[in-house]
Structures are given as C-alpha cells and as structure tokens.
Amino acid sequence: LLTGTRDWRNLRLSARAKSNLAAHFGLVVNAENRRKMLVLQVERGRVRIVRRTGDEEFTVAEAPFQYEFGTWVSLELQTES
C-alpha cells in the first residue's frame, strides 16, 4: 500500500506485522519509486533502517532484534525533514 504526496513531511507510520516465510519484512516510507525509499526492515536477529537508492543500499541504523516466525511484531518509523 502506497499513499501520500511529495509534500508530506514529518511522517510517523506504525503497524503490526508478522512473517510466516519471508526472510525479512517491514515498513517503507519516503518511497519515490520502487528503487528509492527508506525502510524499517526486520530480519532474523536484527532490525535495520535502510536507505535504498537505485541498486545501492545504506544501513542508517541497526540493532539486535529477536522474533519468531508467525509472531506479531509492532513496528513504528518516524521521519523528520
């Protein structure tokens, strides 16, 4: 689900999510297209905030995070511009 316009600023997005099979899952904000976005990404053993631009990926922040497949996880990502 994508919504909003380019003039949206200072966003906060929260959701409950779970993964049954995917290697990673999360939230996307500031998506200009499928190749340029900011992602809160939950992976096995860690959570990362990732800036994707084209084929490049830069980890903005990272922390240990444990969860079990099929378990609901509460996520929240806030940006300020």
Side-chain angles (χ1 to χ4, degrees):
L1 172 68
L2 295 175
T3 188
T5 63
R6 288 181 184 254
D7 61 333
W8 282 25
R9 300 283 184 256
N10 302 328
L11 305 170
R12 179 183 298 172
L13 179 63
S14 60
R16 289 186 64 220
K18 71 177 176 176
S19 174
N20 291 325
L21 298 173
H24 56 267
F25 63 97
L27 301 176
V28 175
V29 297
N30 296 352
E32 292 186 28
N33 54 49
R34 289 183 173 193
R35 298 170 52 91
K36 188 172 184 181
M37 64 190 71
L38 185 65
V39 181
L40 174 63
Q41 185 168 299
V42 178
E43 303 173 0
R44 180 124 2 235
R46 68 181 178 168
V47 62
R48 300 189 305 152
I49 297 176
V50 178
R51 168 127 352 245
R52 292 191 180 145
T53 305
D55 292 330
E56 297 182 15
E57 185 176 282
F58 173 74
T59 299
V60 176
E62 180 177 330
F65 185 78
Q66 297 299 323
Y67 76 97
E68 294 183 27
F69 285 114
T71 301
W72 287 98
V73 177
S74 294
L75 304 172
E76 182 172 290
L77 182 59
Q78 180 174 333
T79 66
E80 295 181 11
S81 12

